[in-house]
Amino acid sequence: GDHEQLQAIGAGAPFRAIAEAVGHAQLSEVRRQKADWQKQASIDFASHRTAAGLSAYEARGSLHLKTDRAETLKAIIADYVADRSANPNDTRIAMAHRRDDVRAINAGIRAQLQESGELAKGSNNPSGDKGEELAYQTHNGKRSFARGDRIVFLENDRDLGVKNGMLGEV
């Protein structure tokens, strides 16, 4: 653990107490990013030098500013789908701060993939025939799934045999 990154665990800050009593390890090198400029940008972000980190991405054409929400969502969706087509074996993630934006991004990506034939579409048929969507009631409301949809489980469920973070595909 890194006491600069994680919140204290529980009442009384036991992680801090353990670190003070027996010492601690500190992450000293960036491992996730491979390019040196990305490593430096990560250090900049972690050190609250956000402008410097953003400048590094902007200098390499990796920062794109938009004028409004609709334009931003459209660009995120287009970039995601284009990268998926260009690099089908790679992984990618599209993130947003607000749940409404997350839903809009997911819906836009699904619509694009359905339009291109990479994701099934059709009427809501409970039989699950190929090309049809299935609708299920979840604790967050009704959700439709189609053959080819990727699902990330967000909690453990012994009955389903899944753990938080597991991926599934319909």
Side-chain angles (χ1 to χ4, degrees), residues 22-43:
V22 298
H24 64 279
Q26 184 172 338
L27 299 175
S28 60
E29 79 180 78
V30 177
R31 293 177 176 241
R32 184 170 292 160
Q33 285 74 20
K34 301 300 178 202
D36 287 340
W37 72 267
Q38 289 176 329
K39 290 179 181 185
Q40 182 57 51
S42 292
I43 292 167

Side-chain angles (χ1 to χ4, degrees), residues 28 99 118 124 156:
S28 60
R99 290 183 180 164
E118 295 179 63
N124 185 16
N156 298 338

Side-chain angles (χ1 to χ4, degrees), residues 20-103:
E20 290 171 358
V22 298
H24 64 279
Q26 184 172 338
L27 299 175
S28 60
E29 79 180 78
V30 177
R31 293 177 176 241
R32 184 170 292 160
Q33 285 74 20
K34 301 300 178 202
D36 287 340
W37 72 267
Q38 289 176 329
K39 290 179 181 185
Q40 182 57 51
S42 292
I43 292 167
D44 289 337
F45 288 132
S47 303
H48 306 288
R49 294 187 304 267
T50 307
L54 290 172
S55 293
Y57 280 89
E58 184 179 35
R60 288 155 182 86
S62 297
L63 179 64
H64 307 279
L65 302 176
K66 304 298 178 193
T67 58
D68 60 30
R69 177 182 185 267
E71 186 181 337
T72 301
L73 293 175
K74 184 177 176 182
I76 290 169
I77 292 163
D79 288 349
Y80 184 99
V81 172
D83 186 69
R84 187 177 190 273
S85 295
N87 306 292
N89 296 322
D90 289 354
T91 58
R92 65 210 46 80
I93 188 169
M95 298 188 309
H97 181 68
R98 297 174 353 149
R99 290 183 180 164
D100 284 346
D101 294 334
V102 170
R103 280 190 286 274

Side-chain angles (χ1 to χ4, degrees), residues 89-166:
N89 296 322
D90 289 354
T91 58
R92 65 210 46 80
I93 188 169
M95 298 188 309
H97 181 68
R98 297 174 353 149
R99 290 183 180 164
D100 284 346
D101 294 334
V102 170
R103 280 190 286 274
I105 291 167
N106 284 336
I109 290 170
R110 287 185 88 239
Q112 291 282 326
L113 295 178
Q114 286 175 327
E115 196 61 38
S116 70
E118 295 179 63
L119 183 62
K121 64 179 177 177
S123 63
N124 185 16
N125 181 351
S127 70
D129 294 337
K130 187 173 180 173
E132 305 295 336
E133 287 193 357
L134 299 173
Y136 291 96
Q137 183 65 40
T138 70
H139 65 278
N140 288 328
K142 190 171 261 191
R143 299 290 304 267
S144 294
F145 300 97
R147 191 173 305 279
D149 262 331
R150 293 187 65 196
I151 301 166
V152 179
F153 294 93
L154 300 178
E155 58 187 48
N156 298 338
D157 188 314
R158 289 183 185 186
D159 293 337
L160 293 176
V162 297
K163 294 186 181 284
N164 183 15
M166 287 179 75

